[in-house]
Amino acid sequence: TLLSSLGLGTTLTFASSHWLLAWMGLEINTLAIIPLMAQHHHPRAVEATTKYFLTQATAAAMILFASTTNAWITGAWDMNNVSNPIASTMIITALALKIGLAPMHFWMPEVLQGLDLLTGLVLSTWQKLAPLALIVQTAQAIDPLLLTTLGLMSTLIGGWGGLNQTQLRKILAYSSIAHMGWMIIVLQYAPQLTLLALLMYIFMTSAAFLTLKTSSATKIGTLATVWSKSPILTTTTALVLLSLGGLPPLTGFMPKWLILQELAKQSLPLIATIMALAALLSLYFYLRLCYAMTLTISPNTTTSTTPWRVQTTQASFPLALATVMALGLLPVT
């Protein structure tokens, strides 16, 4: 029931051209993922669920308020003409809060850290789709300066925030914030590049999360002991992380390359430079993970608890598919 409601909420938002229906889809979506987040009854998971619920409910209330304001002033509920600047600014603020764009990103690392890896995967991929669809639909009515600010702040904060982390889920949360920033920065010039970046982000993040799920690793220290258990997985994971950082010839280079090219084409060299330098910040912490996984022989006395080396019973097909997508899609360009 919960999973089908999760799908249904997002689909409702996709299919709607009326603000009330879109709001309802987002609400169904939020309410469906909450029991999934708290299903382990761990205090940390419950805390994360509460934080998530409060932020999402606030954002949904703001969307409802903004669309009502818009309908009250213009008399129209449809999405493609949010002509009132106050309403459109409130809507983009609420949607940015929903997907965790900086400076509304503070809930994201906290919440992701409290969840198990599969729910974390759903949160950082599927839960981004509905708000992003609304952002893409209303992007033309929004102040370009605001969008650019959101995008730049997100990439910079997503890069800086992840530098000092040792928890893998927090690192992935900051990486998610940075990727969302890349999507938003190019939205007003080439929305199709936003969708391309979203698709590639979903592939790479799925590969990363499923790898961590297979090796049941949540800290950097645990990653150092994975190579003796599954050497080939370790190799592909290093490549997936470099792909997330955006190195050619891997998939992750494609959206960054095309977005920088588009920004240069729109004669925004300064913004393109800042984005490229912010990508270096993110690359640093991906390289740290790669270093811990593949370039160090772990010491005989590890401080973290070593997971038992048992045969895994999980399906390896999704991991294989996501890894291949995260490594080999650059020729599509």
Side-chain angles (χ1 to χ4, degrees), residues 288-327:
R288 250 177 73 209
L289 295 186
C290 287
Y291 183 77
M293 281 194 83
T294 55
L295 297 174
T296 52
I297 298 267
S298 56
N300 293 329
T301 52
T302 48
T303 47
S304 58
T305 51
T306 314
W308 285 95
R309 310 210 182 298
V310 287
Q311 270 299 314
T312 175
T313 54
Q314 341 184 41
S316 56
F317 177 69
L319 173 59
L321 182 69
T323 303
V324 169
M325 292 297 195
L327 297 185

Side-chain angles (χ1 to χ4, degrees), residues 245-306:
L247 292 187
L250 304 165
T251 303
F253 179 56
M254 171 164 57
K256 288 193 165 46
W257 174 28
L258 294 175
I259 287 172
L260 287 176
Q261 186 181 348
E262 181 64 34
L263 288 173
K265 200 188 295 178
Q266 300 285 348
S267 63
L268 299 165
L270 184 64
I271 291 178
T273 312
I274 297 174
M275 295 296 282
L277 292 176
L280 282 179
L281 290 169
S282 304
L283 184 62
Y284 176 76
F285 57 80
Y286 297 127
L287 279 174
R288 250 177 73 209
L289 295 186
C290 287
Y291 183 77
M293 281 194 83
T294 55
L295 297 174
T296 52
I297 298 267
S298 56
N300 293 329
T301 52
T302 48
T303 47
S304 58
T305 51
T306 314

